[in-house]
Amino acid sequence: MKKHIYIYSPSGAVRDKAAFKRGVKRLQSLGHEVEVDTDALASHTRFAGDDAQRLAAIHRAATSGADVALISRGGYGITRLLPDIRYKTLAKAIGKGTRFVGISDFTALQLALFAKTGAITWAGPAVCEGFGALPAPDDIMEDCFADMLHDRGEGAGWRQHPGTDSVNKVVRGATLWGGNLSILVSLLGTPYFPKIKSGVLFLEDVSEHPYRLERMLTQLLHAGVLAQQKAIVLGQFTGFSLTPHDRGYRLDTVVHWLRSKVKATVISNLPYGHVQTKVMLPVGAQIDLLLEGRDALLLWGHQG
Amino acid sequence: MKKHIYIYSPSGAVRDKAAFKRGVKRLQSLGHEVEVDTDALASHTRFAGDDAQRLAAIHRAATSGADVALISRGGYGITRLLPDIRYKTLAKAIGKGTRFVGISDFTALQLALFAKTGAITWAGPAVCEGFGALPAPDDIMEDCFADMLHDRGEGAGWRQHPGTDSVNKVVRGATLWGGNLSILVSLLGTPYFPKIKSGVLFLEDVSEHPYRLERMLTQLLHAGVLAQQKAIVLGQFTGFSLTPHDRGYRLDTVVHWLRSKVKATVISNLPYGHVQTKVMLPVGAQIDLLLEGRDALLLWGHQG
């Protein structure tokens, strides 16, 4: 069934215009009506337009009446805008059926919106890195996107890393939240950080050395955030390089340390992050989490 | 006059042992008694010993009775230790005349100690990058260190960047605090972040792109921290590379943006940071700030 997809740029300027065009064409070839925001390809230094342009683009996406408001790409730029976003306008659009979808820098908007209104958004692809991918967009990502579009998607399942302790556990009625770890932590101490008790926190990041990931997790730990979570779900952490100075300190070292510091179950290998194969996740939704052996299953049922 | 200097390693492992030895010899050649902690050269993955070893080293430094407890180097490692540091032991040592001196990762200990006890420490050099520098340690840094040792240092003056608006202003009785921006921000939302009203906040950083500096400053802005400051004193921000994507977005762009967002006076070019020529600054001290034209002067009088 044909859907209306509105593409806009709240963060970094689109430099890879070929990827952007491929992404638009791909969505059209899937049968959708694609509407491209007037400033989707704007550029102001490193941003997709100045602050006023990007704010206006976010608000146009909210009043577009589209089924999906999809970011062109991530980058950096939303945290600057947080005091000026009209959260009620976005929440109203979501109430009427517009799904906001994005990743990376978009985490700032998702968490601030949830903190301010409780509205649910989707962690998922962007146009350029997702639908514009070469040689072709990932099957699983596209299936999850289609499931979301047609209200068929009711969960995500995956297998944890080999060597993960076998756990049989069920968590019911927790709030799923999270996204990019750097962005999430950059909201700590501000009014845009949601206060979530009994949560399932999912995290991913790119180009951050494990010691920096650990420092960010330490901040969440010392801020009391991790103690409020039923589970911490680690997605994909990619694009960093270890150095000779590390002498055996790796991402695994950080995960092991994290497990020693929290009561929450730490779950690995969620297919989500700066990778091609990724699921879509409803940020702010009530979910159940089922763990059996190395298998993990997030269930959210029907979300508006 | 001969002073007792205790050298220990609370953060990263010392890899450049030649620089360490040069630093120790230099301090000895200045006539000081140098005591090297038993684990100063310990190594556990990327750390100078495991958590228990580094904690014990910090507490040995506090009970050494030395005139100065000086870190070997920065790196990463103190935030992990914050819940287990015996702050009262450190404050007691400071009350008896031990000056804690360090930079970079050491900011975590300095701010946590001030938050917990109000004790004053010194932002200054480390052994390896400071006294072990080639071809020789910086004159100004060594003069400031000697002034601190002999209670002669009562201020620091410098000239702001050309192009800075001329300001004539006097701020009296503000609390001087700050250090490494990444580390300072990594304490936000935790019990280790000092709540300082009427402050003069100094900041430096290394290897952080201007957009990341801006994101961190945005967090301090949204957390309400910058609104509490009388002045924000920008030190040296070094070791980053701009990219073609930046299209004219530079450190200056961030400073300009910061000035547009805060009422506090934003002062540039403090000689402090990951550079050779740096002053020493008493973190937590009551200071006066005098601005005249492009000239800036921090005055702290005698600090215990």
Side-chain angles (χ1 to χ4, degrees):
Chain A
M1 212 175 71
K2 183 177 172 176
K3 296 283 182 178
H4 176 191
I5 297 175
Y6 192 92
I7 296 174
Y8 67 112
S9 298
S11 303
V14 173
R15 302 289 182 218
D16 188 349
K17 287 178 184 154
F20 181 83
K21 280 181 198 168
R22 281 195 306 271
V24 170
K25 279 195 182 167
R26 179 70 179 192
L27 287 163
Q28 287 169 334
S29 77
L30 293 168
H32 304 306
E33 177 199 341
V34 177
E35 186 178 0
V36 175
D37 183 75
T38 179
D39 277 336
L41 296 176
S43 175
H44 176 81
T45 67
R46 56 185 295 120
F47 303 103
D50 65 20
D51 288 2
Q53 278 178 293
R54 299 195 325 284
L55 259 179
I58 292 169
H59 296 140
R60 280 193 297 270
T63 53
S64 66
D67 297 300
V68 174
L70 182 63
I71 63 167
S72 62
R73 60 163 297 220
Y76 161 71
I78 290 177
T79 46
R80 289 167 61 109
L81 306 180
L82 291 176
D84 299 315
I85 292 173
R86 297 202 305 267
Y87 296 100
K88 283 183 184 169
T89 302
L90 272 66
K92 202 172 159 188
I94 291 166
K96 286 183 177 177
T98 301
R99 295 167 183 83
F100 281 80
V101 178
I103 187 166
S104 202
D105 192 50
F106 194 65
T107 298
L109 190 149
Q110 296 183 280
L111 297 185
L113 180 61
F114 186 72
K116 295 289 182 188
T117 71
I120 294 169
T121 57
W122 289 81
V127 173
C128 294
E129 51 79 31
F131 294 97
L134 287 175
D138 180 76
D139 286 346
I140 289 174
M141 180 279 285
E142 287 200 331
D143 285 352
C144 291
F145 190 77
D147 283 349
M148 176 205 66
L149 275 180
H150 301 294
D151 294 329
R152 292 186 310 243
E154 300 200 342
W158 71 98
R159 177 156 283 200
Q160 296 187 64
H161 288 304
T164 307
D165 285 349
S166 171
V167 176
N168 296 324
K169 187 174 175 176
V170 177
V171 175
R172 296 212 184 270
T175 303
L176 181 66
W177 69 301
N180 182 269
L181 176 57
S182 295
I183 298 293
L184 184 136
V185 165
S186 82
L187 302 178
L188 256 178
T190 80
Y192 310 109
F193 192 86
K195 288 174 180 60
I196 292 171
K197 290 183 182 180
S198 190
V200 168
L201 175 62
F202 71 94
L203 299 167
E204 63 87 20
D205 219 326
V206 63
S207 304
E208 298 288 349
H209 188 284
Y211 91 82
R212 297 179 72 112
L213 299 171
E214 185 186 281
R215 197 168 66 194
M216 292 189 270
L217 291 165
T218 302
Q219 187 169 5
L220 291 172
L221 177 70
H222 292 170
V225 173
L226 300 187
Q228 303 282 356
Q229 310 308 315
K230 297 285 183 190
I232 299 161
V233 182
L234 301 176
Q236 306 302 308
F237 294 84
T238 52
F240 60 81
S241 302
L242 297 175
T243 72
H245 177 54
D246 292 315
R247 301 267 177 102
Y249 179 93
R250 301 185 312 252
L251 184 56
D252 275 1
T253 318
V254 176
V255 176
H256 183 76
W257 167 87
L258 178 65
R259 288 202 164 98
S260 77
K261 292 288 176 186
V262 297
K263 284 187 185 172
T265 309
V266 177
I267 300 160
S268 69
N269 206 26
L270 171 73
Y272 184 74
H274 285 69
V275 292
Q276 286 299 307
T277 302
K278 56 178 168 262
V279 296
M280 294 196 64
L281 299 164
V283 173
Q286 295 300 298
I287 56 99
D288 296 336
L289 170 65
L290 280 63
L291 299 172
E292 192 179 326
R294 273 170 54 206
D295 293 323
L297 190 60
L298 280 171
L299 292 174
W300 50 78
H302 177 71
Q303 298 291 337
Chain B
M1 210 175 73
K2 184 178 174 174
K3 296 284 183 176
H4 176 190
I5 297 174
Y6 192 93
I7 297 173
Y8 67 112
S9 299
S11 305
V14 173
R15 302 290 181 218
D16 188 349
K17 287 178 185 155
F20 181 83
K21 280 181 199 165
R22 282 195 305 272
V24 170
K25 279 195 181 166
R26 179 72 181 190
L27 287 162
Q28 287 168 335
S29 77
L30 293 169
H32 303 305
E33 177 199 341
V34 177
E35 186 178 1
V36 175
D37 183 76
T38 180
D39 277 338
L41 296 176
S43 175
H44 176 81
T45 67
R46 56 183 295 120
F47 303 103
D50 65 20
D51 287 1
Q53 279 176 292
R54 297 196 323 287
L55 259 179
I58 292 169
H59 296 139
R60 280 193 299 269
T63 53
S64 65
D67 297 299
V68 174
L70 181 63
I71 63 167
S72 63
R73 59 162 299 220
Y76 162 70
I78 291 179
T79 47
R80 289 166 63 110
L81 307 180
L82 292 176
D84 299 316
I85 292 174
R86 297 201 305 266
Y87 296 100
K88 282 183 186 171
T89 302
L90 273 67
K92 202 172 158 189
I94 291 166
K96 287 184 178 174
T98 300
R99 293 170 185 81
F100 280 79
V101 178
I103 188 167
S104 200
D105 193 49
F106 193 64
T107 298
L109 190 148
Q110 297 183 278
L111 297 185
L113 179 61
F114 186 73
K116 294 290 182 189
T117 71
I120 293 170
T121 57
W122 289 81
V127 174
C128 294
E129 51 80 32
F131 293 99
L134 286 176
D138 180 75
D139 285 345
I140 290 175
M141 180 279 286
E142 287 200 331
D143 285 351
C144 291
F145 190 76
D147 283 347
M148 176 205 67
L149 276 180
H150 301 294
D151 292 330
R152 292 187 307 244
E154 301 201 343
W158 70 99
R159 177 154 282 199
Q160 296 188 64
H161 288 304
T164 306
D165 285 347
S166 171
V167 177
N168 296 324
K169 188 175 174 175
V170 177
V171 175
R172 297 213 183 270
T175 304
L176 181 67
W177 68 301
N180 182 269
L181 176 57
S182 295
I183 298 294
L184 183 136
V185 164
S186 82
L187 302 178
L188 256 179
T190 80
Y192 310 109
F193 191 86
K195 288 175 181 58
I196 292 171
K197 289 182 181 180
S198 190
V200 168
L201 175 63
F202 72 94
L203 300 167
E204 64 87 21
D205 219 326
V206 64
S207 304
E208 297 289 348
H209 188 285
Y211 90 82
R212 297 177 75 114
L213 299 172
E214 184 183 284
R215 197 167 68 196
M216 292 189 271
L217 290 166
T218 302
Q219 188 169 3
L220 291 173
L221 177 71
H222 293 168
V225 174
L226 300 187
Q228 304 283 355
Q229 310 308 314
K230 297 285 184 192
I232 299 161
V233 182
L234 301 175
Q236 306 302 309
F237 294 83
T238 52
F240 59 82
S241 302
L242 297 175
T243 73
H245 177 53
D246 292 314
R247 302 266 177 105
Y249 179 93
R250 303 185 310 252
L251 184 55
D252 276 359
T253 318
V254 177
V255 176
H256 183 76
W257 167 87
L258 178 64
R259 288 203 163 98
S260 76
K261 292 290 176 185
V262 297
K263 282 187 186 172
T265 309
V266 177
I267 300 161
S268 68
N269 206 27
L270 171 73
Y272 184 75
H274 286 69
V275 291
Q276 287 298 309
T277 301
K278 55 179 169 259
V279 295
M280 296 198 60
L281 299 165
V283 174
Q286 295 300 298
I287 55 100
D288 296 335
L289 170 65
L290 280 61
L291 299 173
E292 191 178 328
R294 274 169 55 204
D295 292 325
L297 189 60
L298 281 171
L299 291 175
W300 49 78
H302 176 73
Q303 300 291 336

